[in-house]
Amino acid sequence: MYTHVVWGYSAFFGDDRDRIEFVRHLSRVSAWDGFTCIAFCLMGNHHHLIVEVDDGALPPAMRALNLAYARAFNGRYGLRGHVQFDRYGSRRILGDDDLLRRYAYLANNPVEAGLCETAADWLWSSHAGTIGTQSAFPFVDPTRLFDAFRWTPGDRRDALRRYVDLCRKSGKYTAMS
């Protein structure tokens, strides 16, 4: 599994139409064999993904996703060239604890940025769908995330919601690079 982040110019997503376009391309790439989207969060000038991929699947998937989005973005705004100012960055996730910390960071990113009060309030993240407070994005598969809560009795969605909220209050998660 990997965390993934792409930083764009000041308005990587200018509005909700851009975000819908990106989600459409992410959905398409998530249908590829060997690529599973566990979570995502779209911000104004960047996005985060947590994906599980087969060996060698990450570079072509990210190229397809970022190229398709860049073409749509450039076409919409009459621009040319790169939309991102750097190549995507990724970091291998090392075990369940690391997965949960990185997920909490991803889910809380819009809260930390002052865009909403709770992680579940942000419409452009898979978190609310994963915890069941809004419709889930059909291409997101949180099974691996829920498996990290094997030790938790009861509803895993509620356990995940409580964990994300606790991490936000305590500040105990490491930033994604």
Side-chain angles (χ1 to χ4, degrees):
M1 271 181 297
Y2 289 87
T3 61
H4 164 82
V5 64
V6 164
W7 289 90
Y9 293 107
S10 61
F12 188 68
F13 302 108
D15 58 19
D16 287 350
R17 188 171 157 196
D18 290 341
R19 289 181 179 94
I20 291 167
E21 183 72 23
F22 183 86
V23 168
R24 188 171 67 84
H25 295 296
L26 178 57
S27 174
R28 191 172 297 141
V29 170
S30 294
W32 289 15
D33 285 337
F35 186 98
T36 302
C37 181
I38 296 170
F40 74 88
C41 183
L42 310 184
M43 300 295 289
N45 64 349
H46 68 285
H47 68 269
H48 295 279
L49 304 176
I50 297 178
V51 297
E52 190 160 28
V53 293
D54 290 347
D55 287 342
L58 189 62
M62 291 301 94
R63 182 181 187 283
L65 172 62
N66 293 329
L67 181 61
Y69 178 71
R71 285 179 175 160
F73 184 91
N74 285 344
R76 182 173 181 209
Y77 295 104
L79 301 172
R80 294 179 20 190
H82 295 281
V83 174
Q84 302 95 264
F85 61 74
D86 203 0
R87 183 178 182 271
Y88 74 90
S90 63
R91 179 189 174 280
R92 186 175 295 276
I93 293 176
L94 305 171
D96 289 348
D97 290 343
D98 193 25
L99 172 60
L100 292 173
R101 280 191 305 273
R102 300 228 167 240
Y103 179 82
Y105 177 84
L106 174 148
N108 280 311
N109 206 241
V111 180
E112 297 284 349
L115 300 172
C116 56
E117 287 190 35
T118 70
D121 294 338
W122 188 243
L123 298 176
W124 297 107
S125 167
S126 58
H127 178 65
T130 297
I131 63 170
T133 59
Q134 73 178 21
S135 296
F137 288 89
F139 63 89
V140 173
D141 181 357
T143 304
R144 182 70 182 80
L145 194 55
F146 291 139
D147 286 348
F149 279 104
R150 280 186 205 139
W151 46 267
T152 305
D155 183 5
R156 291 181 182 179
R157 292 183 309 175
D158 187 54
L160 184 60
R161 179 196 54 77
R162 286 180 291 140
Y163 178 80
V164 167
D165 291 346
L166 178 65
C167 286
R168 167 71 176 109
K169 290 174 185 162
S170 69
K172 294 200 178 192
Y173 42 76
T174 52
M176 294 170 69
S177 55

PDB file of all heavy atoms in Angstrom, residues 111 115-124 127-128 133-134:
ATOM      1  N   VAL A 111      -9.985  19.651   7.616  1.00  0.00           N
ATOM      2  CA  VAL A 111     -10.249  20.265   8.930  1.00  0.00           C
ATOM      3  C   VAL A 111      -9.056  21.126   9.323  1.00  0.00           C
ATOM      4  O   VAL A 111      -9.216  22.284   9.736  1.00  0.00           O
ATOM      5  CB  VAL A 111     -10.517  19.186  10.006  1.00  0.00           C
ATOM      6  CG1 VAL A 111     -10.793  19.832  11.361  1.00  0.00           C
ATOM      7  CG2 VAL A 111     -11.671  18.281   9.592  1.00  0.00           C
ATOM      8  N   LEU A 115     -11.315  24.209   6.253  1.00  0.00           N
ATOM      9  CA  LEU A 115     -12.362  24.126   5.235  1.00  0.00           C
ATOM     10  C   LEU A 115     -13.669  23.533   5.767  1.00  0.00           C
ATOM     11  O   LEU A 115     -14.708  23.666   5.130  1.00  0.00           O
ATOM     12  CB  LEU A 115     -11.866  23.295   4.048  1.00  0.00           C
ATOM     13  CG  LEU A 115     -10.629  23.853   3.350  1.00  0.00           C
ATOM     14  CD1 LEU A 115     -10.112  22.867   2.313  1.00  0.00           C
ATOM     15  CD2 LEU A 115     -10.944  25.203   2.716  1.00  0.00           C
ATOM     16  N   CYS A 116     -13.600  22.863   6.901  1.00  0.00           N
ATOM     17  CA  CYS A 116     -14.782  22.258   7.508  1.00  0.00           C
ATOM     18  C   CYS A 116     -14.491  22.002   8.982  1.00  0.00           C
ATOM     19  O   CYS A 116     -13.347  22.108   9.422  1.00  0.00           O
ATOM     20  CB  CYS A 116     -15.165  20.958   6.793  1.00  0.00           C
ATOM     21  SG  CYS A 116     -13.846  19.748   6.719  1.00  0.00           S
ATOM     22  N   GLU A 117     -15.545  21.672   9.731  1.00  0.00           N
ATOM     23  CA  GLU A 117     -15.365  21.450  11.173  1.00  0.00           C
ATOM     24  C   GLU A 117     -14.947  20.041  11.523  1.00  0.00           C
ATOM     25  O   GLU A 117     -14.181  19.831  12.455  1.00  0.00           O
ATOM     26  CB  GLU A 117     -16.641  21.821  11.914  1.00  0.00           C
ATOM     27  CG  GLU A 117     -16.862  23.314  11.974  1.00  0.00           C
ATOM     28  CD  GLU A 117     -17.989  23.681  12.921  1.00  0.00           C
ATOM     29  OE1 GLU A 117     -18.152  23.020  13.945  1.00  0.00           O
ATOM     30  OE2 GLU A 117     -18.697  24.651  12.606  1.00  0.00           O
ATOM     31  N   THR A 118     -15.476  19.051  10.804  1.00  0.00           N
ATOM     32  CA  THR A 118     -15.107  17.659  11.049  1.00  0.00           C
ATOM     33  C   THR A 118     -14.751  17.000   9.728  1.00  0.00           C
ATOM     34  O   THR A 118     -15.188  17.438   8.659  1.00  0.00           O
ATOM     35  CB  THR A 118     -16.254  16.854  11.707  1.00  0.00           C
ATOM     36  OG1 THR A 118     -17.305  16.664  10.751  1.00  0.00           O
ATOM     37  CG2 THR A 118     -16.781  17.550  12.950  1.00  0.00           C
ATOM     38  N   ALA A 119     -13.996  15.915   9.810  1.00  0.00           N
ATOM     39  CA  ALA A 119     -13.593  15.198   8.598  1.00  0.00           C
ATOM     40  C   ALA A 119     -14.804  14.709   7.811  1.00  0.00           C
ATOM     41  O   ALA A 119     -14.784  14.695   6.584  1.00  0.00           O
ATOM     42  CB  ALA A 119     -12.682  14.028   8.973  1.00  0.00           C
ATOM     43  N   ALA A 120     -15.859  14.341   8.496  1.00  0.00           N
ATOM     44  CA  ALA A 120     -17.064  13.838   7.827  1.00  0.00           C
ATOM     45  C   ALA A 120     -17.814  14.933   7.063  1.00  0.00           C
ATOM     46  O   ALA A 120     -18.665  14.622   6.231  1.00  0.00           O
ATOM     47  CB  ALA A 120     -17.983  13.183   8.837  1.00  0.00           C
ATOM     48  N   ASP A 121     -17.510  16.191   7.321  1.00  0.00           N
ATOM     49  CA  ASP A 121     -18.186  17.305   6.649  1.00  0.00           C
ATOM     50  C   ASP A 121     -17.650  17.577   5.243  1.00  0.00           C
ATOM     51  O   ASP A 121     -18.322  18.242   4.453  1.00  0.00           O
ATOM     52  CB  ASP A 121     -18.032  18.603   7.460  1.00  0.00           C
ATOM     53  CG  ASP A 121     -18.743  18.562   8.794  1.00  0.00           C
ATOM     54  OD1 ASP A 121     -19.675  17.758   8.952  1.00  0.00           O
ATOM     55  OD2 ASP A 121     -18.353  19.345   9.685  1.00  0.00           O
ATOM     56  N   TRP A 122     -16.444  17.112   4.927  1.00  0.00           N
ATOM     57  CA  TRP A 122     -15.813  17.452   3.651  1.00  0.00           C
ATOM     58  C   TRP A 122     -16.363  16.545   2.553  1.00  0.00           C
ATOM     59  O   TRP A 122     -16.202  15.328   2.582  1.00  0.00           O
ATOM     60  CB  TRP A 122     -14.297  17.329   3.752  1.00  0.00           C
ATOM     61  CG  TRP A 122     -13.561  17.829   2.555  1.00  0.00           C
ATOM     62  CD1 TRP A 122     -12.772  17.095   1.731  1.00  0.00           C
ATOM     63  CD2 TRP A 122     -13.541  19.164   2.039  1.00  0.00           C
ATOM     64  NE1 TRP A 122     -12.252  17.894   0.734  1.00  0.00           N
ATOM     65  CE2 TRP A 122     -12.711  19.177   0.903  1.00  0.00           C
ATOM     66  CE3 TRP A 122     -14.147  20.361   2.437  1.00  0.00           C
ATOM     67  CZ2 TRP A 122     -12.470  20.319   0.159  1.00  0.00           C
ATOM     68  CZ3 TRP A 122     -13.902  21.503   1.694  1.00  0.00           C
ATOM     69  CH2 TRP A 122     -13.073  21.477   0.574  1.00  0.00           C
ATOM     70  N   LEU A 123     -17.020  17.146   1.562  1.00  0.00           N
ATOM     71  CA  LEU A 123     -17.647  16.382   0.486  1.00  0.00           C
ATOM     72  C   LEU A 123     -16.654  15.749  -0.472  1.00  0.00           C
ATOM     73  O   LEU A 123     -16.983  14.783  -1.160  1.00  0.00           O
ATOM     74  CB  LEU A 123     -18.601  17.284  -0.306  1.00  0.00           C
ATOM     75  CG  LEU A 123     -19.777  17.874   0.457  1.00  0.00           C
ATOM     76  CD1 LEU A 123     -20.557  18.823  -0.444  1.00  0.00           C
ATOM     77  CD2 LEU A 123     -20.657  16.772   1.001  1.00  0.00           C
ATOM     78  N   TRP A 124     -15.436  16.284  -0.535  1.00  0.00           N
ATOM     79  CA  TRP A 124     -14.468  15.836  -1.534  1.00  0.00           C
ATOM     80  C   TRP A 124     -13.424  14.906  -0.942  1.00  0.00           C
ATOM     81  O   TRP A 124     -12.253  14.961  -1.270  1.00  0.00           O
ATOM     82  CB  TRP A 124     -13.859  17.044  -2.229  1.00  0.00           C
ATOM     83  CG  TRP A 124     -14.934  17.764  -2.953  1.00  0.00           C
ATOM     84  CD1 TRP A 124     -15.505  18.962  -2.610  1.00  0.00           C
ATOM     85  CD2 TRP A 124     -15.647  17.295  -4.094  1.00  0.00           C
ATOM     86  NE1 TRP A 124     -16.513  19.262  -3.481  1.00  0.00           N
ATOM     87  CE2 TRP A 124     -16.624  18.254  -4.413  1.00  0.00           C
ATOM     88  CE3 TRP A 124     -15.553  16.162  -4.887  1.00  0.00           C
ATOM     89  CZ2 TRP A 124     -17.487  18.113  -5.483  1.00  0.00           C
ATOM     90  CZ3 TRP A 124     -16.416  16.020  -5.957  1.00  0.00           C
ATOM     91  CH2 TRP A 124     -17.370  16.984  -6.244  1.00  0.00           C
ATOM     92  N   HIS A 127     -13.970   9.832   3.108  1.00  0.00           N
ATOM     93  CA  HIS A 127     -14.178   9.521   4.521  1.00  0.00           C
ATOM     94  C   HIS A 127     -15.653   9.411   4.904  1.00  0.00           C
ATOM     95  O   HIS A 127     -16.050   8.425   5.538  1.00  0.00           O
ATOM     96  CB  HIS A 127     -13.470  10.555   5.402  1.00  0.00           C
ATOM     97  CG  HIS A 127     -13.669  10.330   6.859  1.00  0.00           C
ATOM     98  ND1 HIS A 127     -13.191   9.218   7.508  1.00  0.00           N
ATOM     99  CD2 HIS A 127     -14.314  11.070   7.792  1.00  0.00           C
ATOM    100  CE1 HIS A 127     -13.534   9.281   8.787  1.00  0.00           C
ATOM    101  NE2 HIS A 127     -14.210  10.386   8.985  1.00  0.00           N
ATOM    102  N   ALA A 128     -16.471  10.380   4.557  1.00  0.00           N
ATOM    103  CA  ALA A 128     -17.887  10.342   4.970  1.00  0.00           C
ATOM    104  C   ALA A 128     -18.594   9.111   4.413  1.00  0.00           C
ATOM    105  O   ALA A 128     -19.406   8.483   5.101  1.00  0.00           O
ATOM    106  CB  ALA A 128     -18.603  11.619   4.544  1.00  0.00           C
ATOM    107  N   THR A 133     -21.806   8.213   6.693  1.00  0.00           N
ATOM    108  CA  THR A 133     -22.611   9.419   6.927  1.00  0.00           C
ATOM    109  C   THR A 133     -23.089  10.059   5.623  1.00  0.00           C
ATOM    110  O   THR A 133     -23.880  10.999   5.664  1.00  0.00           O
ATOM    111  CB  THR A 133     -21.850  10.460   7.771  1.00  0.00           C
ATOM    112  OG1 THR A 133     -20.651  10.831   7.100  1.00  0.00           O
ATOM    113  CG2 THR A 133     -21.528   9.892   9.157  1.00  0.00           C
ATOM    114  N   GLN A 134     -22.607   9.579   4.499  1.00  0.00           N
ATOM    115  CA  GLN A 134     -23.125   9.961   3.182  1.00  0.00           C
ATOM    116  C   GLN A 134     -22.886   8.785   2.246  1.00  0.00           C
ATOM    117  O   GLN A 134     -22.258   7.798   2.630  1.00  0.00           O
ATOM    118  CB  GLN A 134     -22.483  11.239   2.650  1.00  0.00           C
ATOM    119  CG  GLN A 134     -21.060  11.131   2.186  1.00  0.00           C
ATOM    120  CD  GLN A 134     -20.543  12.458   1.634  1.00  0.00           C
ATOM    121  OE1 GLN A 134     -21.054  13.527   1.919  1.00  0.00           O
ATOM    122  NE2 GLN A 134     -19.506  12.390   0.835  1.00  0.00           N
TER     123      GLN A 134
END
